[in-house]
Amino acid sequence: MREATYRVTVREARTGREIKVVTLPGTESPEKSCPGIAKDAPGTVVARSLTGDVLDTGLRPLLLDPA
């Protein structure tokens, strides 16, 4: 299991203009981060997933205070 950081780019729907880039940590448990079909092969790396709560916390300020 590897720690992961996700870069989320928020864009304006009509024009595609970049509104903000938010960097969020992967915080999901190893059990929920690992896909059920993952093979235990040499060199396989699974990154810690992004949870809905972290995504909500990271993006909520854009909803409450739009650009």
Side-chain angles (χ1 to χ4, degrees):
M1 178 62 54
R2 295 271 172 98
E3 297 302 318
T5 301
Y6 294 86
R7 185 172 179 250
V8 179
T9 303
V10 178
R11 298 185 180 274
E12 198 272 330
R14 278 191 203 141
T15 65
R17 177 178 65 93
E18 187 176 290
I19 303 296
K20 184 164 184 142
V21 176
V22 180
T23 302
L24 303 169
T27 58
E28 189 60 86
S29 69
E31 295 78 20
K32 291 185 177 179
S33 293
C34 186
I37 59 169
K39 304 274 186 201
D40 188 16
T44 299
V45 175
V46 176
R48 192 174 292 273
S49 298
L50 181 64
T51 64
D53 289 342
V54 169
L55 188 59
D56 180 64
T57 300
L59 298 180
R60 183 163 297 281
L62 292 173
L63 177 65
L64 299 176
D65 186 23

Short mmCIF file of all heavy atoms in Angstrom, two decimals:
data_model
loop_
_atom_site.label_atom_id
_atom_site.label_comp_id
_atom_site.label_asym_id
_atom_site.label_seq_id
_atom_site.Cartn_x
_atom_site.Cartn_y
_atom_site.Cartn_z
N MET A 1 0.86 -1.17 0.00
CA MET A 1 0.00 0.00 0.00
C MET A 1 0.90 1.23 0.00
O MET A 1 1.81 1.34 0.81
CB MET A 1 -0.89 -0.01 1.23
CG MET A 1 -1.80 1.18 1.37
SD MET A 1 -3.01 1.42 0.07
CE MET A 1 -3.84 -0.13 0.04
N ARG A 2 0.64 2.12 -0.93
CA ARG A 2 1.39 3.37 -1.01
C ARG A 2 0.50 4.55 -0.66
O ARG A 2 -0.68 4.57 -0.99
CB ARG A 2 1.90 3.58 -2.44
CG ARG A 2 2.91 2.58 -2.92
CD ARG A 2 4.30 3.04 -2.55
NE ARG A 2 5.28 2.03 -2.83
CZ ARG A 2 6.03 2.00 -3.91
NH1 ARG A 2 5.91 2.91 -4.82
NH2 ARG A 2 6.91 1.04 -4.07
N GLU A 3 1.08 5.51 0.01
CA GLU A 3 0.37 6.75 0.25
C GLU A 3 0.21 7.46 -1.09
O GLU A 3 1.05 7.31 -1.98
CB GLU A 3 1.15 7.64 1.21
CG GLU A 3 1.33 7.04 2.60
CD GLU A 3 0.02 6.71 3.28
OE1 GLU A 3 -0.93 7.51 3.21
OE2 GLU A 3 -0.07 5.64 3.91
N ALA A 4 -0.87 8.19 -1.26
CA ALA A 4 -1.13 8.86 -2.53
C ALA A 4 -1.69 10.25 -2.29
O ALA A 4 -2.35 10.50 -1.28
CB ALA A 4 -2.12 8.05 -3.37
N THR A 5 -1.40 11.14 -3.21
CA THR A 5 -1.96 12.49 -3.20
C THR A 5 -2.65 12.68 -4.54
O THR A 5 -2.08 12.34 -5.58
CB THR A 5 -0.85 13.54 -3.01
OG1 THR A 5 -0.18 13.27 -1.78
CG2 THR A 5 -1.42 14.93 -2.97
N TYR A 6 -3.85 13.22 -4.52
CA TYR A 6 -4.63 13.42 -5.74
C TYR A 6 -4.74 14.91 -6.06
O TYR A 6 -4.99 15.72 -5.19
CB TYR A 6 -6.03 12.81 -5.58
CG TYR A 6 -5.96 11.32 -5.44
CD1 TYR A 6 -5.75 10.72 -4.21
CD2 TYR A 6 -6.06 10.51 -6.57
CE1 TYR A 6 -5.66 9.35 -4.09
CE2 TYR A 6 -5.97 9.13 -6.45
CZ TYR A 6 -5.76 8.56 -5.21
OH TYR A 6 -5.67 7.19 -5.10
N ARG A 7 -4.56 15.23 -7.31
CA ARG A 7 -4.68 16.61 -7.79
C ARG A 7 -6.00 16.71 -8.54
O ARG A 7 -6.18 16.08 -9.59
CB ARG A 7 -3.51 16.93 -8.72
CG ARG A 7 -3.46 18.33 -9.18
CD ARG A 7 -2.16 18.58 -9.94
NE ARG A 7 -2.13 19.94 -10.41
CZ ARG A 7 -2.23 20.28 -11.67
NH1 ARG A 7 -2.30 19.36 -12.61
NH2 ARG A 7 -2.22 21.54 -12.02
N VAL A 8 -6.95 17.47 -8.00
CA VAL A 8 -8.29 17.60 -8.57
C VAL A 8 -8.40 18.98 -9.21
O VAL A 8 -8.23 19.99 -8.54
CB VAL A 8 -9.37 17.42 -7.48
CG1 VAL A 8 -10.77 17.57 -8.08
CG2 VAL A 8 -9.22 16.07 -6.79
N THR A 9 -8.67 19.00 -10.52
CA THR A 9 -8.83 20.26 -11.24
C THR A 9 -10.32 20.52 -11.43
O THR A 9 -11.03 19.70 -12.00
CB THR A 9 -8.13 20.20 -12.61
OG1 THR A 9 -6.75 19.87 -12.41
CG2 THR A 9 -8.24 21.52 -13.34
N VAL A 10 -10.78 21.67 -10.94
CA VAL A 10 -12.18 22.08 -11.08
C VAL A 10 -12.24 23.05 -12.25
O VAL A 10 -11.49 24.03 -12.30
CB VAL A 10 -12.69 22.74 -9.79
CG1 VAL A 10 -14.13 23.20 -9.96
CG2 VAL A 10 -12.56 21.78 -8.62
N ARG A 11 -13.14 22.77 -13.21
CA ARG A 11 -13.27 23.60 -14.41
C ARG A 11 -14.68 24.14 -14.57
O ARG A 11 -15.63 23.51 -14.13
CB ARG A 11 -12.89 22.80 -15.65
CG ARG A 11 -11.46 22.34 -15.63
CD ARG A 11 -11.08 21.66 -16.94
NE ARG A 11 -9.71 21.22 -16.91
CZ ARG A 11 -8.68 21.98 -17.23
NH1 ARG A 11 -8.87 23.23 -17.61
NH2 ARG A 11 -7.45 21.52 -17.17
N GLU A 12 -14.80 25.28 -15.22
CA GLU A 12 -16.10 25.87 -15.55
C GLU A 12 -16.71 25.01 -16.65
O GLU A 12 -16.04 24.66 -17.62
CB GLU A 12 -15.88 27.31 -16.00
CG GLU A 12 -17.14 28.15 -15.94
CD GLU A 12 -17.97 28.08 -17.21
OE1 GLU A 12 -17.41 27.87 -18.28
OE2 GLU A 12 -19.19 28.23 -17.10
N ALA A 13 -17.97 24.65 -16.50
CA ALA A 13 -18.62 23.69 -17.40
C ALA A 13 -18.69 24.17 -18.85
O ALA A 13 -18.47 23.39 -19.77
CB ALA A 13 -20.01 23.35 -16.89
N ARG A 14 -19.02 25.42 -19.08
CA ARG A 14 -19.19 25.90 -20.46
C ARG A 14 -17.89 26.07 -21.21
O ARG A 14 -17.77 25.70 -22.37
CB ARG A 14 -19.92 27.24 -20.46
CG ARG A 14 -21.38 27.09 -20.36
CD ARG A 14 -22.07 28.41 -20.64
NE ARG A 14 -23.36 28.32 -20.00
CZ ARG A 14 -23.96 29.27 -19.37
NH1 ARG A 14 -23.41 30.45 -19.28
NH2 ARG A 14 -25.11 29.06 -18.80
N THR A 15 -16.91 26.66 -20.56
CA THR A 15 -15.69 27.03 -21.26
C THR A 15 -14.51 26.10 -20.99
O THR A 15 -13.54 26.11 -21.74
CB THR A 15 -15.25 28.45 -20.85
OG1 THR A 15 -14.90 28.44 -19.46
CG2 THR A 15 -16.35 29.46 -21.11
N GLY A 16 -14.57 25.35 -19.91
CA GLY A 16 -13.45 24.51 -19.54
C GLY A 16 -12.35 25.29 -18.82
O GLY A 16 -11.29 24.75 -18.54
N ARG A 17 -12.62 26.55 -18.52
CA ARG A 17 -11.64 27.39 -17.83
C ARG A 17 -11.35 26.79 -16.45
O ARG A 17 -12.24 26.40 -15.72
CB ARG A 17 -12.21 28.81 -17.66
CG ARG A 17 -11.31 29.76 -16.89
CD ARG A 17 -11.92 31.16 -16.81
NE ARG A 17 -13.16 31.20 -16.06
CZ ARG A 17 -13.25 31.48 -14.76
NH1 ARG A 17 -12.16 31.72 -14.07
NH2 ARG A 17 -14.42 31.51 -14.17
N GLU A 18 -10.07 26.72 -16.12
CA GLU A 18 -9.67 26.19 -14.83
C GLU A 18 -10.04 27.17 -13.73
O GLU A 18 -9.68 28.34 -13.77
CB GLU A 18 -8.16 25.95 -14.83
CG GLU A 18 -7.67 25.24 -13.59
CD GLU A 18 -6.20 24.93 -13.67
OE1 GLU A 18 -5.82 24.05 -14.47
OE2 GLU A 18 -5.44 25.57 -12.93
N ILE A 19 -10.80 26.68 -12.76
CA ILE A 19 -11.24 27.49 -11.63
C ILE A 19 -10.25 27.36 -10.48
O ILE A 19 -9.83 28.33 -9.88
CB ILE A 19 -12.65 27.08 -11.15
CG1 ILE A 19 -13.67 27.18 -12.28
CG2 ILE A 19 -13.07 27.88 -9.94
CD1 ILE A 19 -13.91 28.56 -12.80
N LYS A 20 -9.90 26.13 -10.16
CA LYS A 20 -9.01 25.88 -9.02
C LYS A 20 -8.45 24.48 -9.11
O LYS A 20 -9.09 23.57 -9.62
CB LYS A 20 -9.78 26.06 -7.72
CG LYS A 20 -8.91 25.92 -6.49
CD LYS A 20 -9.59 26.46 -5.28
CE LYS A 20 -8.62 26.38 -4.12
NZ LYS A 20 -8.68 27.49 -3.24
N VAL A 21 -7.26 24.31 -8.58
CA VAL A 21 -6.65 22.98 -8.43
C VAL A 21 -6.52 22.72 -6.94
O VAL A 21 -6.00 23.56 -6.20
CB VAL A 21 -5.28 22.91 -9.12
CG1 VAL A 21 -4.63 21.56 -8.87
CG2 VAL A 21 -5.41 23.16 -10.62
N VAL A 22 -7.03 21.58 -6.51
CA VAL A 22 -7.00 21.21 -5.10
C VAL A 22 -6.19 19.92 -4.98
O VAL A 22 -6.39 18.98 -5.74
CB VAL A 22 -8.44 20.97 -4.57
CG1 VAL A 22 -8.44 20.59 -3.11
CG2 VAL A 22 -9.31 22.19 -4.80
N THR A 23 -5.28 19.89 -4.03
CA THR A 23 -4.49 18.68 -3.77
C THR A 23 -5.03 18.04 -2.50
O THR A 23 -5.12 18.68 -1.45
CB THR A 23 -3.00 19.05 -3.61
OG1 THR A 23 -2.57 19.70 -4.81
CG2 THR A 23 -2.16 17.80 -3.39
N LEU A 24 -5.40 16.76 -2.62
CA LEU A 24 -6.03 16.05 -1.51
C LEU A 24 -5.31 14.73 -1.24
O LEU A 24 -4.88 14.05 -2.18
CB LEU A 24 -7.49 15.76 -1.84
CG LEU A 24 -8.35 16.98 -2.18
CD1 LEU A 24 -9.69 16.55 -2.74
CD2 LEU A 24 -8.54 17.84 -0.95
N PRO A 25 -5.21 14.33 0.03
CA PRO A 25 -4.55 13.07 0.36
C PRO A 25 -5.48 11.88 0.20
O PRO A 25 -6.68 11.98 0.43
CB PRO A 25 -4.18 13.26 1.84
CG PRO A 25 -5.30 14.12 2.36
CD PRO A 25 -5.63 15.07 1.23
N GLY A 26 -4.91 10.76 -0.19
CA GLY A 26 -5.65 9.51 -0.16
C GLY A 26 -5.71 9.03 1.27
O GLY A 26 -4.67 8.91 1.92
N THR A 27 -6.89 8.77 1.79
CA THR A 27 -7.03 8.39 3.20
C THR A 27 -7.82 7.10 3.41
O THR A 27 -8.08 6.72 4.55
CB THR A 27 -7.71 9.52 4.00
OG1 THR A 27 -8.98 9.79 3.44
CG2 THR A 27 -6.87 10.79 4.02
N GLU A 28 -8.23 6.46 2.33
CA GLU A 28 -9.05 5.25 2.45
C GLU A 28 -8.24 4.11 3.05
O GLU A 28 -7.02 4.05 2.91
CB GLU A 28 -9.59 4.85 1.08
CG GLU A 28 -10.61 3.75 1.10
CD GLU A 28 -11.85 4.10 1.91
OE1 GLU A 28 -12.76 4.72 1.35
OE2 GLU A 28 -11.90 3.76 3.10
N SER A 29 -8.92 3.19 3.70
CA SER A 29 -8.25 2.03 4.31
C SER A 29 -7.68 1.13 3.21
O SER A 29 -8.16 1.14 2.08
CB SER A 29 -9.25 1.23 5.13
OG SER A 29 -10.19 0.61 4.28
N PRO A 30 -6.67 0.36 3.55
CA PRO A 30 -6.12 -0.57 2.56
C PRO A 30 -7.16 -1.54 2.00
O PRO A 30 -7.17 -1.84 0.82
CB PRO A 30 -5.04 -1.33 3.34
CG PRO A 30 -4.62 -0.38 4.40
CD PRO A 30 -5.89 0.36 4.78
N GLU A 31 -8.08 -1.99 2.86
CA GLU A 31 -9.10 -2.95 2.42
C GLU A 31 -10.01 -2.35 1.35
O GLU A 31 -10.40 -3.02 0.41
CB GLU A 31 -9.95 -3.41 3.60
CG GLU A 31 -9.20 -4.21 4.64
CD GLU A 31 -8.35 -3.35 5.58
OE1 GLU A 31 -8.59 -2.12 5.69
OE2 GLU A 31 -7.42 -3.91 6.18
N LYS A 32 -10.35 -1.06 1.50
CA LYS A 32 -11.24 -0.42 0.54
C LYS A 32 -10.49 0.15 -0.66
O LYS A 32 -11.08 0.42 -1.69
CB LYS A 32 -12.05 0.67 1.22
CG LYS A 32 -13.06 0.11 2.19
CD LYS A 32 -13.94 1.19 2.75
CE LYS A 32 -14.99 0.61 3.67
NZ LYS A 32 -15.83 1.66 4.25
N SER A 33 -9.18 0.34 -0.53
CA SER A 33 -8.39 0.88 -1.62
C SER A 33 -8.01 -0.17 -2.65
O SER A 33 -7.78 0.14 -3.81
CB SER A 33 -7.09 1.52 -1.08
OG SER A 33 -7.38 2.65 -0.30
N CYS A 34 -7.92 -1.40 -2.22
CA CYS A 34 -7.47 -2.48 -3.10
C CYS A 34 -8.65 -3.05 -3.88
O CYS A 34 -9.61 -3.54 -3.29
CB CYS A 34 -6.82 -3.58 -2.27
SG CYS A 34 -6.07 -4.86 -3.29
N PRO A 35 -8.58 -3.00 -5.21
CA PRO A 35 -9.68 -3.58 -6.00
C PRO A 35 -9.76 -5.09 -5.81
O PRO A 35 -8.75 -5.75 -5.62
CB PRO A 35 -9.31 -3.23 -7.45
CG PRO A 35 -7.86 -2.90 -7.43
CD PRO A 35 -7.52 -2.47 -6.03
N GLY A 36 -10.97 -5.62 -5.85
CA GLY A 36 -11.18 -7.05 -5.66
C GLY A 36 -10.52 -7.93 -6.71
O GLY A 36 -10.26 -9.09 -6.46
N ILE A 37 -10.21 -7.35 -7.86
CA ILE A 37 -9.62 -8.14 -8.94
C ILE A 37 -8.10 -7.99 -9.00
O ILE A 37 -7.47 -8.48 -9.92
CB ILE A 37 -10.22 -7.76 -10.30
CG1 ILE A 37 -9.99 -6.28 -10.59
CG2 ILE A 37 -11.69 -8.11 -10.36
CD1 ILE A 37 -10.31 -5.87 -12.01
N ALA A 38 -7.52 -7.32 -8.01
CA ALA A 38 -6.07 -7.09 -8.02
C ALA A 38 -5.33 -8.42 -7.95
O ALA A 38 -5.71 -9.33 -7.23
CB ALA A 38 -5.66 -6.21 -6.86
N LYS A 39 -4.27 -8.52 -8.71
CA LYS A 39 -3.42 -9.71 -8.70
C LYS A 39 -2.24 -9.43 -7.79
O LYS A 39 -1.70 -8.33 -7.77
CB LYS A 39 -2.90 -10.00 -10.10
CG LYS A 39 -3.99 -10.17 -11.13
CD LYS A 39 -4.45 -11.58 -11.14
CE LYS A 39 -5.43 -11.75 -12.30
NZ LYS A 39 -6.28 -12.83 -12.19
N ASP A 40 -1.85 -10.41 -7.04
CA ASP A 40 -0.70 -10.27 -6.17
C ASP A 40 0.54 -10.67 -6.96
O ASP A 40 1.14 -11.70 -6.72
CB ASP A 40 -0.87 -11.13 -4.92
CG ASP A 40 0.21 -10.87 -3.89
OD1 ASP A 40 0.90 -9.84 -4.01
OD2 ASP A 40 0.37 -11.69 -2.98
N ALA A 41 0.89 -9.84 -7.92
CA ALA A 41 2.05 -10.11 -8.77
C ALA A 41 3.23 -9.28 -8.29
O ALA A 41 3.06 -8.22 -7.69
CB ALA A 41 1.72 -9.75 -10.22
N PRO A 42 4.43 -9.75 -8.54
CA PRO A 42 5.60 -8.97 -8.16
C PRO A 42 5.54 -7.57 -8.79
O PRO A 42 5.19 -7.41 -9.95
CB PRO A 42 6.77 -9.75 -8.74
CG PRO A 42 6.25 -11.14 -8.90
CD PRO A 42 4.78 -11.00 -9.19
N GLY A 43 5.82 -6.56 -7.98
CA GLY A 43 5.82 -5.19 -8.49
C GLY A 43 4.47 -4.50 -8.46
O GLY A 43 4.36 -3.34 -8.82
N THR A 44 3.41 -5.20 -8.04
CA THR A 44 2.09 -4.59 -7.98
C THR A 44 2.07 -3.52 -6.88
O THR A 44 2.50 -3.78 -5.76
CB THR A 44 1.00 -5.63 -7.69
OG1 THR A 44 0.99 -6.59 -8.74
CG2 THR A 44 -0.38 -4.99 -7.57
N VAL A 45 1.61 -2.33 -7.24
CA VAL A 45 1.52 -1.23 -6.28
C VAL A 45 0.07 -0.76 -6.24
O VAL A 45 -0.54 -0.51 -7.26
CB VAL A 45 2.43 -0.06 -6.68
CG1 VAL A 45 2.25 1.11 -5.75
CG2 VAL A 45 3.88 -0.51 -6.72
N VAL A 46 -0.48 -0.64 -5.05
CA VAL A 46 -1.83 -0.14 -4.87
C VAL A 46 -1.74 1.15 -4.06
O VAL A 46 -1.11 1.17 -3.00
CB VAL A 46 -2.74 -1.16 -4.15
CG1 VAL A 46 -4.12 -0.58 -3.89
CG2 VAL A 46 -2.84 -2.44 -4.97
N ALA A 47 -2.34 2.22 -4.58
CA ALA A 47 -2.32 3.51 -3.90
C ALA A 47 -3.53 3.66 -3.00
O ALA A 47 -4.61 3.16 -3.32
CB ALA A 47 -2.29 4.63 -4.93
N ARG A 48 -3.34 4.35 -1.90
CA ARG A 48 -4.45 4.63 -0.98
C ARG A 48 -5.47 5.51 -1.71
O ARG A 48 -5.13 6.56 -2.25
CB ARG A 48 -3.92 5.33 0.26
CG ARG A 48 -4.92 5.41 1.38
CD ARG A 48 -4.29 5.98 2.64
NE ARG A 48 -3.31 5.10 3.23
CZ ARG A 48 -3.59 4.13 4.12
NH1 ARG A 48 -4.83 3.91 4.47
NH2 ARG A 48 -2.64 3.40 4.63
N SER A 49 -6.73 5.12 -1.71
CA SER A 49 -7.80 5.81 -2.44
C SER A 49 -8.23 7.11 -1.76
O SER A 49 -8.03 7.30 -0.56
CB SER A 49 -9.03 4.92 -2.57
OG SER A 49 -8.72 3.76 -3.29
N LEU A 50 -8.86 7.94 -2.55
CA LEU A 50 -9.45 9.19 -2.07
C LEU A 50 -10.86 8.89 -1.57
O LEU A 50 -11.65 8.25 -2.27
CB LEU A 50 -9.50 10.17 -3.24
CG LEU A 50 -10.06 11.55 -3.01
CD1 LEU A 50 -9.18 12.31 -2.03
CD2 LEU A 50 -10.11 12.30 -4.32
N THR A 51 -11.20 9.33 -0.37
CA THR A 51 -12.55 9.08 0.17
C THR A 51 -13.49 10.21 -0.24
O THR A 51 -13.06 11.33 -0.53
CB THR A 51 -12.55 8.99 1.70
OG1 THR A 51 -12.15 10.24 2.24
CG2 THR A 51 -11.64 7.88 2.21
N GLY A 52 -14.76 9.93 -0.22
CA GLY A 52 -15.77 10.94 -0.50
C GLY A 52 -15.75 12.08 0.50
O GLY A 52 -15.96 13.24 0.15
N ASP A 53 -15.46 11.76 1.75
CA ASP A 53 -15.40 12.80 2.79
C ASP A 53 -14.28 13.79 2.53
O ASP A 53 -14.45 15.00 2.68
CB ASP A 53 -15.22 12.18 4.18
CG ASP A 53 -16.46 11.46 4.67
OD1 ASP A 53 -17.55 11.71 4.12
OD2 ASP A 53 -16.34 10.66 5.62
N VAL A 54 -13.11 13.30 2.14
CA VAL A 54 -11.98 14.18 1.85
C VAL A 54 -12.29 15.03 0.62
O VAL A 54 -12.01 16.23 0.59
CB VAL A 54 -10.68 13.36 1.65
CG1 VAL A 54 -9.57 14.23 1.09
CG2 VAL A 54 -10.24 12.74 2.97
N LEU A 55 -12.88 14.42 -0.40
CA LEU A 55 -13.25 15.17 -1.60
C LEU A 55 -14.27 16.24 -1.26
O LEU A 55 -14.16 17.40 -1.70
CB LEU A 55 -13.81 14.20 -2.66
CG LEU A 55 -14.07 14.77 -4.03
CD1 LEU A 55 -12.79 15.34 -4.65
CD2 LEU A 55 -14.65 13.71 -4.94
N ASP A 56 -15.27 15.90 -0.46
CA ASP A 56 -16.29 16.87 -0.04
C ASP A 56 -15.66 18.03 0.73
O ASP A 56 -15.94 19.20 0.44
CB ASP A 56 -17.34 16.17 0.83
CG ASP A 56 -18.42 17.12 1.30
OD1 ASP A 56 -19.15 17.65 0.45
OD2 ASP A 56 -18.52 17.33 2.52
N THR A 57 -14.80 17.73 1.67
CA THR A 57 -14.14 18.77 2.46
C THR A 57 -13.27 19.67 1.58
O THR A 57 -13.24 20.88 1.76
CB THR A 57 -13.28 18.13 3.58
OG1 THR A 57 -14.13 17.36 4.42
CG2 THR A 57 -12.55 19.18 4.39
N GLY A 58 -12.59 19.08 0.62
CA GLY A 58 -11.71 19.85 -0.26
C GLY A 58 -12.44 20.73 -1.24
O GLY A 58 -11.96 21.81 -1.61
N LEU A 59 -13.62 20.30 -1.71
CA LEU A 59 -14.34 21.04 -2.74
C LEU A 59 -15.46 21.93 -2.19
O LEU A 59 -15.91 22.85 -2.86
CB LEU A 59 -14.92 20.08 -3.78
CG LEU A 59 -13.89 19.27 -4.55
CD1 LEU A 59 -14.58 18.35 -5.54
CD2 LEU A 59 -12.88 20.16 -5.25
N ARG A 60 -15.91 21.67 -0.97
CA ARG A 60 -17.02 22.44 -0.39
C ARG A 60 -16.77 23.95 -0.40
O ARG A 60 -17.69 24.72 -0.68
CB ARG A 60 -17.33 21.95 1.02
CG ARG A 60 -18.53 22.67 1.63
CD ARG A 60 -19.09 21.95 2.82
NE ARG A 60 -19.62 20.64 2.51
CZ ARG A 60 -20.81 20.40 1.95
NH1 ARG A 60 -21.59 21.40 1.64
NH2 ARG A 60 -21.21 19.18 1.71
N PRO A 61 -15.56 24.43 -0.12
CA PRO A 61 -15.34 25.88 -0.16
C PRO A 61 -15.69 26.50 -1.52
O PRO A 61 -16.14 27.64 -1.59
CB PRO A 61 -13.86 26.04 0.15
CG PRO A 61 -13.53 24.83 0.97
CD PRO A 61 -14.37 23.74 0.38
N LEU A 62 -15.52 25.76 -2.60
CA LEU A 62 -15.88 26.29 -3.92
C LEU A 62 -17.38 26.43 -4.08
O LEU A 62 -17.86 27.33 -4.76
CB LEU A 62 -15.34 25.38 -5.01
CG LEU A 62 -13.82 25.35 -5.14
CD1 LEU A 62 -13.41 24.28 -6.13
CD2 LEU A 62 -13.31 26.71 -5.57
N LEU A 63 -18.11 25.56 -3.44
CA LEU A 63 -19.57 25.62 -3.49
C LEU A 63 -20.09 26.78 -2.65
O LEU A 63 -20.99 27.51 -3.05
CB LEU A 63 -20.17 24.31 -3.00
CG LEU A 63 -21.69 24.22 -2.92
CD1 LEU A 63 -22.28 24.32 -4.33
CD2 LEU A 63 -22.10 22.94 -2.26
N LEU A 64 -19.49 26.96 -1.49
CA LEU A 64 -19.95 27.99 -0.56
C LEU A 64 -19.47 29.40 -0.93
O LEU A 64 -20.13 30.37 -0.59
CB LEU A 64 -19.50 27.63 0.86
CG LEU A 64 -20.04 26.30 1.39
CD1 LEU A 64 -19.46 26.01 2.76
CD2 LEU A 64 -21.54 26.28 1.42
N ASP A 65 -18.33 29.47 -1.61
CA ASP A 65 -17.75 30.77 -1.98
C ASP A 65 -17.25 30.68 -3.43
O ASP A 65 -16.04 30.60 -3.66
CB ASP A 65 -16.62 31.15 -1.03
CG ASP A 65 -16.09 32.54 -1.28
OD1 ASP A 65 -16.83 33.37 -1.85
OD2 ASP A 65 -14.92 32.79 -0.91
N PRO A 66 -18.17 30.65 -4.41
CA PRO A 66 -17.75 30.46 -5.80
C PRO A 66 -16.86 31.59 -6.29
O PRO A 66 -16.94 32.72 -5.84
CB PRO A 66 -19.07 30.43 -6.58
CG PRO A 66 -20.12 30.87 -5.65
CD PRO A 66 -19.58 30.84 -4.25
N ALA A 67 -16.02 31.25 -7.25
CA ALA A 67 -15.06 32.23 -7.81
C ALA A 67 -15.76 33.27 -8.64
O ALA A 67 -16.78 33.10 -9.20
CB ALA A 67 -14.04 31.49 -8.66
#
